[in-house]
Amino acid sequence: MSLEDSPIRKKSFEFACNIVKYCDQLKAKKDYELASQLLRSGTSIGANTREAQRGVSKKDFKHKFGIALKEADETKYWLEILEATGREVPKEMMNKCEELIRILVAIVKNS
């Protein structure tokens, strides 16, 4: 399997694209600050995942996936804040974020 075909790479990229679209909706409703925070963390998951797969060592690989996990957890935090303050967060987005967290935990633990 090539790097481009890895499930975490595909899932994190698709998630980032959905985050961008959702943040556009938030900005249209003038939720600029929350959109900015969510956009930063939600797109960083895939960026760090991609970087990890080009890691120069096992330690580098694990470190970058650890950062991706932290970003996924932060993204979940912002989604929870949005929900708690009455914004509509797509259930599928929350589910996908939780799925990414589970996958990243497994990668970090097993590497």
Side-chain angles (χ1 to χ4, degrees):
M1 175 187 332
S2 72
L3 290 178
E4 289 76 25
D5 293 335
S6 77
I8 188 63
R9 188 166 175 164
K10 285 182 175 182
K11 287 176 186 291
S12 61
F13 182 82
E14 182 182 302
F15 183 75
C17 291
N18 289 330
I19 285 287
V20 169
K21 292 173 188 172
Y22 179 61
C23 287
D24 285 346
Q25 293 171 12
L26 290 172
K27 289 177 194 171
K29 295 176 184 173
K30 306 217 184 303
D31 273 327
Y32 301 112
E33 293 301 322
L34 290 169
S36 176
Q37 292 290 338
L38 182 61
L39 185 63
R40 226 176 266 120
S41 65
T43 56
S44 183
I45 301 164
N48 279 290
T49 295
R50 188 170 283 198
E51 221 177 301
Q53 292 177 318
R54 300 274 186 213
V56 293
S57 66
K58 188 173 183 174
K59 183 179 176 184
D60 187 37
F61 175 88
K62 189 173 182 175
H63 175 71
K64 294 290 191 232
F65 270 115
I67 293 171
L69 175 57
K70 288 178 183 181
E71 295 293 342
D73 196 48
E74 181 181 340
T75 300
K76 185 175 179 200
Y77 173 79
W78 292 120
L79 291 172
E80 289 170 347
I81 291 284
L82 286 160
E83 266 186 351
T85 56
R87 277 72 162 194
E88 189 176 325
V89 175
K91 185 75 175 144
E92 184 68 12
M93 183 170 287
M94 187 66 84
N95 292 342
K96 293 290 183 187
C97 188
E98 290 168 352
E99 179 184 15
L100 285 172
I101 290 170
R102 286 191 302 274
I103 293 168
L104 290 164
V105 164
I107 290 170
V108 170
K109 279 186 177 179
N110 293 320
S111 60

